[in-house]
Amino acid sequence: MADELFAQTVAETLALIEDRLMEATVSQYSFVTEAAQHIVSAGGKRFRPALVVTAAHLGSDFDLDEVIGAALVMELTHVASLYHDDVMDEADLRRGVSSANNRYGNSTAILVGDYLFARASREVARLGPEYVDLQAQTFAELVEGQMAETTGPLAGEDPIDHHFKVLAGKTASLIRASALFGGMVGGVSDLALDALGRFGFEIGMVFQLSDDLIDIVSDTTGKTPGTDLREGIPTLPTLLLASSPAVGDHELAERIAAGLDDDGDLAEALAALRASAVIDQTRSEIARRASVARDYLTPLPAGPAKDMLDRLCDEVVTRSS
């Protein structure tokens, strides 16, 4: 019953955050408002705000407005990065709708991303200098992750290690910051805050690695299977395939690298990849990291907030199974 009541509390807070998100994206210029709300209004998992809210409840001293403000900063920063990512990736779709760059053009998408980051910066300034410092550090890591993905591995660098660095910057850094923001507004102890940061980073890695797998194995998530595969975006399964000594895996990796513009070729590659041992290898890595994330929860105070974070370790694994 306590867990159900807590889940309801989190859901009610997320509803308030949703309202604030729409308010924060209103500009004096109607076109800016339309473009800024384009991706926000398409919805999303709101994973980062939910993590802020949950982590805040690990403490006993927080103000609801500050919790909402901290969650707002994290989601605005996340959405700002999506506008920039879509320009870099030349994406056509985002959250099931036309991407901003596809609808409004690259220049507008970049400017709107800047606008959203400016709104996030205004919100974080209200929280205090330690929050400003963490957000700035996190945004730098986001940019570094995007740059690392764009430039690719350095000469002699292991592609899989490079991929983990990309995920650390592009995804895990902001999820780590979300957990820290929640703990900070909740007033948790230094020991708990350190644990939250470590947990947030590791669960962020798991979250993105499961997305790598979902692109290949799932037909039920709303994401078209093989999207990353068709666009040539490196994922852990394809990188494991390329490093496999098996002849069949090597041949499949070469077929994927050559391009999969034809729907029939894509379907064949997906079927072959799903049957490969690299799928189980990826699942093992996801489960291993989820176990590491769970271990980091040990110092946190017992209660429904900790229980929800513990369940999250299972959910990020099962979402790609």
Side-chain angles (χ1 to χ4, degrees), residues 3-82:
D3 286 347
E4 291 177 5
L5 289 173
F6 181 71
Q8 182 179 348
T9 298
V10 172
E12 290 171 352
T13 307
L14 287 175
L16 297 174
I17 294 166
E18 199 69 25
D19 292 339
R20 286 285 303 279
L21 272 171
M22 298 305 290
E23 293 172 7
T25 48
V26 172
S27 165
Q28 60 179 317
Y29 302 106
S30 59
F31 176 71
V32 176
T33 300
E34 176 191 336
Q37 292 183 346
H38 177 66
I39 298 301
V40 172
S41 61
K45 293 178 279 289
R46 303 297 189 237
F47 182 79
R48 292 152 191 83
L51 187 53
V52 172
V53 175
T54 303
H57 280 272
L58 291 165
S60 58
D61 180 26
F62 66 82
D63 178 85
L64 180 60
D65 286 340
E66 287 191 350
V67 174
I68 292 172
L72 187 63
V73 170
M74 290 293 97
E75 188 65 9
L76 284 171
T77 303
H78 172 56
V79 176
S81 74
L82 297 182

Side-chain angles (χ1 to χ4, degrees), residues 48-317:
R48 292 152 191 83
L51 187 53
V52 172
V53 175
T54 303
H57 280 272
L58 291 165
S60 58
D61 180 26
F62 66 82
D63 178 85
L64 180 60
D65 286 340
E66 287 191 350
V67 174
I68 292 172
L72 187 63
V73 170
M74 290 293 97
E75 188 65 9
L76 284 171
T77 303
H78 172 56
V79 176
S81 74
L82 297 182
Y83 277 78
H84 290 167
D85 282 356
D86 285 347
V87 172
M88 298 292 293
D89 298 339
E90 299 180 346
D92 293 326
L93 293 174
R94 169 65 69 179
R95 295 178 176 174
V97 299
S98 177
S99 62
N101 54 297
N102 189 35
R103 179 163 182 171
Y104 303 109
N106 285 343
S107 295
T108 295
I110 292 170
L111 290 170
V112 171
D114 293 345
Y115 172 76
L116 291 171
F117 183 66
R119 297 310 298 262
S121 299
R122 184 180 184 186
E123 292 293 333
V124 78
R126 296 177 174 139
L127 294 171
E130 66 273 27
Y131 295 88
V132 174
D133 182 67
L134 177 55
Q135 189 218 16
Q137 172 190 329
T138 302
F139 200 72
E141 292 179 51
L142 288 170
V143 174
E144 289 171 343
Q146 181 65 65
M147 289 294 292
E149 183 179 61
T150 302
T151 58
L154 300 173
E157 184 180 11
D158 180 70
I160 294 176
D161 288 343
H162 176 79
H163 184 60
F164 288 151
K165 290 178 183 176
V166 170
L167 302 190
K170 288 191 62 176
T171 302
S173 64
L174 190 56
I175 292 177
R176 172 181 178 270
S178 298
L180 288 172
F181 262 41
M184 288 161 69
V185 294
V188 302
S189 68
D190 289 344
L191 178 65
L193 196 62
D194 180 70
L196 276 171
R198 294 175 186 274
F199 167 82
F201 177 84
E202 205 62 52
I203 209 70
M205 294 293 288
V206 175
F207 187 82
Q208 187 56 54
L209 286 170
S210 66
D211 265 5
D212 280 6
L213 199 54
I214 285 170
D215 181 67
I216 296 166
V217 303
S218 181
D219 294 305
T220 61
T221 61
K223 180 180 180 180
T224 303
T227 300
D228 292 343
L229 202 61
R230 187 194 291 274
E231 295 176 358
I233 298 173
T235 61
L236 183 57
T238 58
L239 291 170
L240 288 170
L241 194 75
S243 66
S244 171
V247 175
D249 286 348
H250 183 70
E251 291 175 348
L252 178 57
E254 288 184 339
R255 286 172 55 196
I256 293 171
L260 299 168
D261 294 332
D262 181 79
D263 288 345
D265 290 342
L266 177 63
E268 289 180 8
L270 270 174
L273 193 51
R274 287 169 176 173
S276 170
V278 301
I279 299 302
D280 284 340
Q281 291 172 23
T282 302
R283 286 198 172 107
S284 294
E285 177 65 8
I286 290 171
R288 183 190 71 80
R289 285 182 176 269
S291 178
V292 171
R294 176 177 277 114
D295 288 343
Y296 285 135
L297 296 175
T298 301
L300 300 182
K306 181 177 180 178
D307 292 343
M308 181 171 282
L309 295 178
D310 186 80
R311 287 195 301 274
L312 180 60
C313 295
D314 294 323
E315 291 170 4
V316 291
V317 173

